[in-house]
Amino acid sequence: MSIQLLAPDVAAKIAAGEVVERPANAAKELIENSLDAGATDVRVEMREGGLRLLRVSDNGSGIPAEEAPLAFLRHATSKLHSAEDLAHIGTFGFRGEALYSIAAVSQCTLLTRHRSEEFGVHMRLEGGAVVSSSRAGAPVGTVITIEHLFYNVPARQKFLRTATTEAGQISAVVQRYALAYPECRFTLISDGKTVFQSSGSGYLLDVLVQHYGLENARQMAPLGGQGEITTPEAPLEGEMDFGASTGVAENLGAPVRVTGYVGLPSLTRANRTGIQLFVNRRAVEDRSLTHAVVQAFHTLLPVGRFPVAVVLVELDLAAVDVNVHPQKLQVRFVEERRVFNAVQKAVRTAVIGHMHVPDREGAQPVEDESTPAWNASGWAERRAAILDAGPQRAFEMPARPPVSAAPAAPAYQAGDAPRPPALPPLRVVGQVGAMYVVAEGPQGMFLIDQHAAHERILYEHFMRRRTYNLVDGEAAQQQLLQPETLHAGSELAGLVAEHLDALRSVGYAIEPFGGDSFLLRAVPGLLAGDDPITGLLDIVESLRGGRNLAGEQYEAELVKMVCKRAAIKAGQLLSDIEMQELVRQLEECASPRTCPHGRPTMIQLSAGELEKAFGRI
Ligand code: ADP
Ligand code: MG
């Protein structure tokens, strides 16, 4: 076959394929054009998932009549004038390819009037060719209607999904922009019905309510105190070299602003799709930043569950390259590490600071008004009375280190502000199945797993002591009256020998005693009541699978195992005082809602959920 230049219409279809794969891509491009034109009202209509018709109307600047034909030419754009402009792109568009591509594979109509003109223009194109053009009356703004997308590309039609799937995709696109532009009102109409509408009030929270529903939105916390956090901190070591060698040193230290909302641990998804990222208000897919969000929830979410988040990152236009992907879904950061850190820190701080969902500021506790019963029950007074009753302790809970000397572990620190309680004060109601503590809070009922909760308490206590090297309070180590000999068998002996340092760091005093034997002189204080040898063997045995863990990780696992072993068990009957003490100490935890292994410590049934379950509302 000889080499030939492609005919222009073939080339156009191929190029179109890169930008518009499906109706949702076309919707995205049209919405972006509307936003670039300064629209504050964007209306998206679709029929049959956009396959039959997709129309985007806006109240933006409009297109001057004489420029209208240019809009559909390839590489025709009003947004980019020189190659230098590419370094700081502030608009969504800049390639001048969208309208050209969309028009090439559809029947397209443009109705527009520029704000400086008396009359508008009406233009119709088929397969990219203008078939009619005339003066027309129209309000200022632009309406672009696309009909029969891919009518002339049979190959593409085969890959389209059902209208329902495509409609879902378009809906996701519209809602994504609504989240990024709370000041713009978005309306989505599907087959004649309004299926989504944002208010355009300028408040992200309003959009969250529309997007996630009220019940979910109430379980989300703003990133940063006033909904923003600025991290102009110095770059980490090593990043200097990176910056200098790529000639972008002037960007180092440019502030990264992170705003948005994150779901508290009570709101999770089975995958990462609940994490929506925006960079300079552009929706992006970024594995690294997604990971930053997930990591910020470390130990706070059960295994296999993922957070919900709307994270908006803003940074200098020159610090990010948006020109790496035809659909502009990916971006490249000059200082990826700093952006990663800023996102992780903002999310972590917000989650830790707002884990007392029900009474966080901002979101008004709606249920309170509708269900006065929870307040009338006087849980707060009763609880206060109970706590004042005296400090008897029926079973050994670790003594709390003095408050001043023991702030929460460093990761939990949120500036100098005192950490708000992560749980509302709870009143213990009783025990169920010798396993769960039932408690009542201002907004509903809590079912607390006594073992998991105690594990969390012991774990945080242990970590605090270690972090701040506190030596007062109870002994971290319990000396044995008589040293005991451990005969471990060769395999276990190997494990013990390998991890002697880690074992010592959690409180074991242990030394090799020849062959497979060890001499045990002391155990961690938490395990004082336990059989020393059995305890040690069980713990080492259970960490057998962790053979490949690095020293530090092994140690972290070891701490969790010690706490697990020391924690009260399921099946243990607790007295009222014991339960109150357990709940009180849990309230003081930085992350009371999960055990150190990430499983939930409690289930919360809000007053609203209970009412729903009983058919009261
Ligand atoms: P780009 O957005 O990359 O510039 P497009 O093909 O999407 O390329 O649009 C081409 C041009 O048409 C834009 O640069 C803009 O001048 C004009 N345009 C498109 N849509 C609109 C709109 N909704 N309002 C005003 N102008 C628009
Ligand atoms: Mg565009």
Side-chain angles (χ1 to χ4, degrees), residues 313-329:
V313 176
E314 275 169 274
L315 70 177
D316 196 76
L317 292 178
V320 51
D321 184 1
V322 295
N323 190 22
V324 279
H325 189 277
Q327 291 168 14
K328 306 179 200 115
L329 286 174

Side-chain angles (χ1 to χ4, degrees), residues 255-273:
V256 177
R257 219 176 78 139
V258 182
T259 60
Y261 279 78
V262 284
L264 297 165
S266 50
L267 184 66
T268 60
R269 294 268 166 94
N271 53 42
R272 293 177 178 78
T273 54

Side-chain angles (χ1 to χ4, degrees), residues 29 33 36 79 93 98:
E29 293 294 339
N33 281 346
D36 281 346
K79 302 166 194 173

Side-chain angles (χ1 to χ4, degrees), residues 265-343:
S266 50
L267 184 66
T268 60
R269 294 268 166 94
N271 53 42
R272 293 177 178 78
T273 54
I275 301 170
Q276 309 203 52
L277 302 170
F278 300 85
V279 173
N280 291 341
R281 304 236 244 173
R282 192 186 283 281
V284 297
E285 292 168 1
D286 190 293
R287 289 173 67 126
S288 160
L289 288 191
T290 303
H291 186 58
V293 175
V294 173
Q295 250 196 7
F297 280 82
H298 186 61
T299 81
L300 300 179
L301 294 185
V303 182
R305 300 300 298 178
F306 296 91
V308 170
V310 174
V311 179
L312 297 126
V313 176
E314 275 169 274
L315 70 177
D316 196 76
L317 292 178
V320 51
D321 184 1
V322 295
N323 190 22
V324 279
H325 189 277
Q327 291 168 14
K328 306 179 200 115
L329 286 174
Q330 273 142 30
V331 293
R332 221 176 272 139
F333 298 107
V334 172
E335 299 172 86
E336 177 165 351
R337 186 59 190 269
R338 279 193 58 237
V339 180
F340 183 98
N341 288 344
V343 167

Side-chain angles (χ1 to χ4, degrees), residues 29-30 32-33 36 77 79 92-99 328:
E29 293 294 339
L30 296 180
E32 291 189 346
N33 281 346
D36 281 346
T77 176
K79 302 166 194 173
F92 284 114
F94 57 82
R95 292 170 189 265
E97 294 212 299
L99 290 187
K328 306 179 200 115

Side-chain angles (χ1 to χ4, degrees), residues 504-517:
R504 283 175 187 147
S505 79
V506 301
Y508 281 106
I510 183 168
E511 50 202 65
F513 200 51
D516 293 344
S517 303

